[in-house]
Amino acid sequence: MLQLPLRNHQTKRSAVKAYLSGTLSGQAILNRYQIRSLSQLHQWIVRYNSGQLSVAYATRKRARKVGRKVTFEEKRKITQWTIDHEYNYQAAAEKFNVSYQRVYSWVRKYQRTHDWESLQDNRGRHKGKTPTNEVERLRQEVRQLKAKAKEREVQIAFAKKLVEIHNREVERPDDIKRFRK
């Protein structure tokens, strides 16, 4: 497969200016600047016209932006601001420094339930859930008893190993140092 070189900013700009001036045909520009297709050139033209052609790296290799932590109150504030400003998700994302997708999902969650609690983050373990019927209560009790038994086995195995390690330090059989409980 033919490996085309990465173009720097100046090469892209020259190709776009040559196309816009009309001095060369599209095919001639593709050949001269070793551009793979007209669609690539058109993408550069769109970015040039919007003032964003300054990208000097390969456009497909973008670093993923890591989102910041947002509290429940911030989510509520951002959602309310977005609704008040005619659902302008992009402006909200830029103003509050969060992604468009997150703003959109928060607004959608709120609209579905009309309850601010739907924005609450409920991930993680929930301790203290009470079983609803007798079967669930018995299953929970069995799980707890099994966990206690397993913990007890681990503690006994640890104690045995500790005594064994302690007894290894004895040099003579008649000079026994025993582990004190």
Side-chain angles (χ1 to χ4, degrees):
M1 183 175 175
L2 177 64
Q3 183 75 17
L4 295 177
L6 294 177
R7 286 142 203 103
N8 62 20
H9 175 67
Q10 190 60 35
T11 306
K12 291 179 183 180
R13 179 168 278 200
S14 300
V16 169
K17 284 187 177 181
Y19 184 82
L20 292 176
S21 68
T23 56
L24 296 171
S25 69
Q27 194 60 42
I29 292 172
L30 294 179
N31 293 336
R32 182 174 182 182
Y33 294 100
Q34 296 180 336
I35 302 171
R36 192 177 300 216
S37 66
L38 269 176
S39 63
Q40 179 66 59
L41 180 62
H42 287 293
Q43 287 176 4
W44 293 351
I45 292 168
V46 168
R47 282 194 272 146
Y48 176 79
N49 288 336
S50 66
Q52 298 175 349
L53 187 62
S54 61
V55 178
Y57 53 85
T59 56
R60 292 184 187 203
K61 295 180 182 177
R62 292 186 182 151
R64 184 178 175 275
K65 180 182 174 186
V66 178
R68 67 180 182 89
K69 293 204 180 227
V70 181
T71 64
F72 172 71
E73 288 303 318
E74 284 180 300
K75 288 180 191 178
R76 188 175 176 171
K77 180 181 174 185
I78 293 168
T79 303
Q80 188 62 53
W81 188 91
T82 306
I83 293 169
D84 293 344
H85 288 84
E86 300 174 357
Y87 301 96
N88 191 345
Y89 302 107
Q90 188 64 42
E94 291 171 2
K95 178 178 168 90
F96 296 102
N97 192 25
V98 293
S99 72
Y100 180 99
Q101 178 60 39
R102 290 173 85 188
V103 175
Y104 180 80
S105 70
W106 295 333
V107 171
R108 197 174 67 209
K109 281 180 186 177
Y110 175 72
Q111 286 177 331
R112 196 176 310 136
T113 61
H114 292 290
D115 182 22
W116 292 112
E117 293 303 314
S118 64
L119 301 178
Q120 199 73 280
D121 188 6
N122 294 323
R123 292 179 292 180
R125 295 183 138 210
H126 298 290
K127 292 191 176 183
K129 281 190 174 180
T130 57
T132 56
N133 60 24
E134 186 67 19
V135 174
E136 285 184 23
R137 187 186 65 73
L138 292 173
R139 283 184 182 154
Q140 184 179 22
E141 190 175 329
V142 166
R143 275 195 304 270
Q144 289 173 348
L145 290 173
K146 284 183 179 179
K148 283 181 182 178
K150 181 77 172 170
E151 179 69 23
R152 203 171 297 124
E153 286 176 20
V154 169
Q155 288 176 350
I156 290 170
F158 178 75
K160 286 180 180 179
K161 195 66 162 174
L162 190 59
V163 168
E164 180 186 328
I165 291 170
H166 217 278
N167 287 339
R168 282 185 203 163
E169 297 173 0
V170 176
E171 293 177 10
R172 295 185 318 247
D174 58 335
D175 185 23
I176 298 177
K177 295 181 189 174
R178 289 285 177 192
F179 178 71
R180 294 183 190 167
K181 290 185 180 181

